[in-house]
Amino acid sequence: MVCPVAICLVEDDKQLLLVLKTLLGKEKAFNIIGAYDCPVKALNEVCWEKVDVLLTDLDLPELSGVEVIRAACTANPELLAMAYTVCENKQMVYAAIQAGAFGYILKSSPVSEMRDAIRELINGGSPMSPGIARLVLCDFRVEHAQQALSEELSEREVVVLRLIAKGLLYKEVSDELAVSTHTVHTFLKRIYVKLHVHSRRAAVRVARQTGQLEES
């Protein structure tokens, strides 16, 4: 006999938490072993080694859902975590994924879809609301297109960018290389053109992504 999927819910909206607990609890294949409106209490009380799926909001009091996901996945590396939130912020999406989330569902989706999302998660999928999937794919496409367009930096340009990456000011870079600040500006302009960027931070990021700025 197959054991029910052990699910823990973390949601500070008590009414929504009750809806999720009631809806998912009707499924014979699911076993709701915890439903918390306080993330700190969830982390302290749950035996995470016994949990198969964590479904958590991200905008929580005291601790963020990202922190909950990270802590729970650290306690149980086999845990399948999924964000259930209103947040469509790109940084938050990636933060949740980096913390260990395998799914990202928006609260604008019908609550009934959570059943299918959990089944998909258990069966090896990574359920995402269409808007989140498009955001991730578009960002991936833009980033890789940017990398493909990038030209090779000269050795001198790499040296300048490496100093910039360390946080040196233009004057400090010019002193380090014994050149004028105007020359430093000229190098940076060339770097921006080659990497198709408009800021020092973006230049450093793209140069690292394309393997042209290895850590020294």
Side-chain angles (χ1 to χ4, degrees):
M1 180 177 179
V2 179
C3 295
V5 177
I7 301 172
C8 180
L9 309 173
V10 182
E11 167 60 64
D12 64 323
D13 183 328
K14 294 183 180 181
Q15 184 175 358
L16 178 56
L17 180 64
L18 179 60
V19 170
L20 289 170
K21 182 179 179 181
T22 302
L23 175 68
L24 298 177
K26 292 180 179 179
E27 294 291 314
K28 293 183 179 180
F30 299 160
N31 178 24
I32 309 301
I33 64 172
Y36 295 86
D37 59 12
C38 174
V40 175
K41 191 174 181 180
L43 289 180
N44 289 337
E45 293 186 2
V46 174
C47 180
W48 292 103
E49 289 81 3
K50 296 181 179 180
V51 179
D52 298 312
V53 172
L54 164 64
L55 179 63
T56 181
D57 188 8
L58 295 184
D59 186 16
L60 296 168
E62 298 185 69
L63 287 177
S64 72
V66 170
E67 292 174 294
V68 173
I69 291 171
R70 183 178 295 110
C73 289
T74 298
N76 178 9
E78 301 300 317
L79 179 72
L80 297 174
M82 181 158 58
Y84 182 61
T85 180
V86 298
C87 185
E88 297 184 65
N89 178 276
K90 181 173 69 174
Q91 283 70 33
M92 188 65 76
V93 172
Y94 288 140
I97 293 173
Q98 289 173 349
F102 281 97
Y104 201 106
I105 303 298
L106 294 176
K107 288 183 179 179
S108 56
S109 307
V111 177
S112 58
E113 288 186 8
M114 288 308 307
R115 291 173 297 190
D116 292 335
I118 292 175
R119 291 192 187 99
E120 183 180 345
L121 196 65
I122 289 295
N123 290 326
S126 295
M128 284 191 179
S129 292
I132 296 300
R134 174 165 288 192
L135 183 153
V136 172
L137 289 173
C138 286
D139 193 54
F140 178 86
R141 188 167 63 186
V142 169
E143 187 169 294
H144 280 261
Q146 188 178 48
Q147 291 183 27
L149 290 170
S150 299
E151 298 177 38
E152 192 75 24
L153 300 179
S154 69
E155 291 184 12
R156 194 63 164 173
E157 289 164 347
V158 170
V159 171
V160 170
L161 193 55
R162 183 173 288 124
L163 293 174
I164 292 294
K166 290 180 179 180
L168 272 65
L169 302 175
Y170 293 155
K171 182 63 168 60
E172 293 172 323
V173 175
S174 66
D175 291 343
E176 179 78 18
L177 300 179
V179 298
S180 68
T181 54
H182 174 74
T183 299
V184 174
H185 278 282
T186 299
F187 274 121
L188 279 174
K189 286 180 181 178
R190 293 175 183 170
I191 291 170
Y192 289 177
V193 170
K194 287 186 175 183
L195 299 183
H196 300 275
V197 297
H198 303 285
S199 70
R200 288 175 293 176
R201 179 177 296 182
V204 170
R205 174 175 57 81
V206 173
R208 283 175 175 160
Q209 290 172 343
T210 55
Q212 299 189 66
L213 190 66
E214 298 178 357
E215 298 292 342
S216 57

